[in-house]
Each structure stands twice: as structure tokens, then as C-alpha cells.
Amino acid sequence: MKEKSLHITNAILFDEDMPLQGDREVRDITVRDNIITVTIAVSRENTIADRVSMEDAIRDGIQAEFPEAEVRIISLAIDGEDEPVGNCEHGGHSGASKELPPKKAIPGVKHVWLVSSCKGGVGKSTVALNTALALKAAGRSVALLDLDLYGPSIPSLVGTDLPPIVVGNLIVPPEIHGISVLSIGFMTESTQPLMWRGPMLSGVINQLLWEVDWSGHDDLVIDMPPGTGDTYLSILQSIEVDAAVLVTTPSELALSDVRRGVGVFEPYNVPIAGVVENMATYNWEGREAVLKLLDSLKIDSSSKESLERIKKILETTRSIRIFGNHTKEMCDDVKLPLITSIPLDIALQNDNDSGTPYMLNPKKAEIQKAFTDIASFLIKRAND
Ligand SMILES: Nc1ncnc2c1ncn2[C@@H]1O[C@H](COP(=O)(O)OP(=O)(O)OP(=O)(O)O)[C@@H](O)[C@H]1O
Ligand SMILES: [Mg+2]
């Protein structure tokens, strides 16, 4: 299957009608269960549209030969003869070799967890921060790294932008709410747009990973940016990661992104711990007050039946699935555990946006439980 798919991929890649320019080559083909994942390096001169049409052409070609298989294509952008943009020089890579560089462990950190999703705005940063705090509450020493270099949101979620200090040659992350936190947002003006060119981006990632004193932590939780861009390549191919947690909302669109997200980790042998479903259900808090009010009304017997009907209707609003209910099915489909479901909570939104992390609000024990579930899941995985 592997040889045949290599043959097909090469034939498509070097077809004269392909809209690609410059260097291109097959970097990797993996076949696991029923899934064929092909990784291709293409010149950065190509537009995203060209890359997408190449991915589609290769996917269709392989699919035609292996109709039963699930085909995933990943294209890495390279600069001429260089390695994929965003590659970490700290990975010990020789430069000329076409092999992926060996991964390195972050010194002094026992476990590294990525919180990620292909889609933006599904709650990665919320989950990363509150999971870090839940791990801390479980008695662990925890650090949180915000790697969303274009839109760092951890400073506003923790409610502070304390600048890190430098001791010797190393940056020391500030301790906030009992965990060590580092974000590029601590080092830049919040009003300044963050635009990085490829080499700059990889330089900043290198700095945040290797020029920081991360030592003494049981867990480093990394809040990843949305998508599958250069930050992912830098991280997945250069550091040793225990596992990734995929965050999604139950909407069909978000779930199809999870399916795509699974294929991002596979070629780099980064395991996926499971899926966290965010904004899963909505609990209307006014419901209890309305029920109480109805009970206090003096109603004559002719209206009793209507009252009971109203109460029944209110009962169905206890937990509404606004965005759908497909996550479990999708998890079974991609063979990943559903770690937990976090309700949609207006208080959560207000607390986040006012800089009080949810785990620090004792009034919301029910939702805190979801973050504690994630922490327990990761601790169990770390101990297994
Ligand atoms: N369960 C929830 N209930 C209500 N609001 C939520 C919930 N989870 C996250 N939010 C809100 O949704 C918005 C997006 O959340 P967050 O920033 O964590 O997502 P993200 O995936 O990190 O986004 P980005 O892709 O932009 O980095 C924030 O305003 C946050 O407060
Ligand atoms: Mg975020």
C-alpha cells in the first residue's frame, strides 16, 4: 500500500499540468490502520491556492487507487533547499539531511501537553489556562506557555501582563495564580499588531522554548494557535511532547476540523490524548427562579394543567445542546476518547474576559469539574 501510494504521489507531483513551481518532494508516507498520510515539501514560492489544489489532486489520485482508505495530505512550505520554515535549529538538524531532525526534551520539564485545534475561537486558551490551574490544584508544579504568537490571549485571560525577568542567559516566566506563565503578549504592546515572517517566527519560538528557565515543572501546558501553520511544524518536529488535547465545539464544521487536526500530529508521532468538547450544553440559570415563581402563583384548578405543561417545557431547558450533539460519534470515528464536555457558560465568558480564570471562581464548581476531569486524565496518562 505504501509503495503504491508513493508511486502514485510521485506521478501526480511531477505531472506537467501541476500548478506548482520550484522544489517539491515526498517527505513521508505513513500507513496506519486504514489511514494513508502523505507529507510533501513544496517550495514557498507556491501560493496557498496552488498548495491546496496539489493536495486535492494527490488525495483524489490516491483515493481512486485505495477507495477504502482515508487519505490525508500535509504540505510543508520550504524555502528553496532549506528545511520547512519554522524548523528549530536546536533540534540538532544538520541542514542538508532530508530526515526530520531529532526531537529534544525541554530541560527540567517532566510532561509537555499541547492544547490545540484547527479552528479558531473554540476555547483552546480557556482550556489551556484552566487545565494548567486544575493541574496545579492537583498538587503539581505547572507552567503555561502561550504560543499563539499572532494573537496571544493568555495575558488578558490571566488579567495581567507582568514582564518576564532575565536571569543570566535565561528568561524566567512570572508566577501568576501559582503557575509560571509566559506569553509573547508580556513582551509586546497589546495594541501592536504581531506580524512575523517565517525566520522571525521560528526565532521567537526557539527563544520561548529554549531560552527560558522552564525547570522544576511537572507539566508544561502549551496553548497553541489555531490552524496548522508554521508554529505547529516547529513544535511537532522539534520538541518531545507527551500528548495533544484537541478542543472542539460540537458544531459540524468544528468537528470536521478535528478530523483534519488528527492528521497533523500523526507524521510527527505526537499522540493525541483525546478530545475536549467546549460550549457543549447551555444551562439556563434563570430557570430555577422561574420555576420558583410559578410555584408561588395562586392558580385556580382550571389553569393547573397549563402550569404543569409550562413546567415540563422548562424542564427541557435544563441542558440545551445549542451547537449539536455529534462529538461522541466523531470521537468514535477517529478512535479518540472524549475527555470531557464543558458547558457554555455566560459567567465563564465574563470571568475570562475580566481576567479571572474560571478555576479561581469557587461559585462554579460544576464547570470547574470539567477542567479537573482534563487534569485527572492527563495525570493518569503521565503515570501510566
Ligand atoms: N465554555 C465557554 N462558555 C462561554 N464562553 C466561552 C467558553 N469557552 C470559551 N469561551 C469564550 O470564547 C472566546 C474564545 O475562547 P478562547 O480564546 O479560549 O478560544 P481559542 O480557541 O483560544 O481562540 P483563538 O483561536 O483565537 O486562540 C473567549 O471570549 C472565551 O471567554
Ligand atoms: Mg487562543
Side-chain angles (χ1 to χ4, degrees), residues 173-193:
E175 190 171 310
I176 303 170
H177 306 310
I179 58 176
S180 302
V181 185
L182 192 58
S183 168
I184 194 73
F186 293 164
M187 304 171 211
T188 52
E189 290 293 323
S190 58
T191 49
Q192 184 187 323

Side-chain angles (χ1 to χ4, degrees), residues 18-24 41-47 50 78:
M18 255 327 222
L20 293 175
Q21 313 170 16
D23 294 324
R24 53 202 128 132
V42 290
S43 163
R44 192 164 261 286
E45 293 159 51
N46 294 288
T47 63
D50 282 347
I78 55 165

Side-chain angles (χ1 to χ4, degrees), residues 54-70:
M54 173 208 67
E55 286 177 19
D56 288 344
I58 293 173
R59 189 180 303 105
D60 292 347
I62 298 176
Q63 196 76 69
E65 294 293 323
F66 303 100
E68 304 301 323
E70 187 180 332

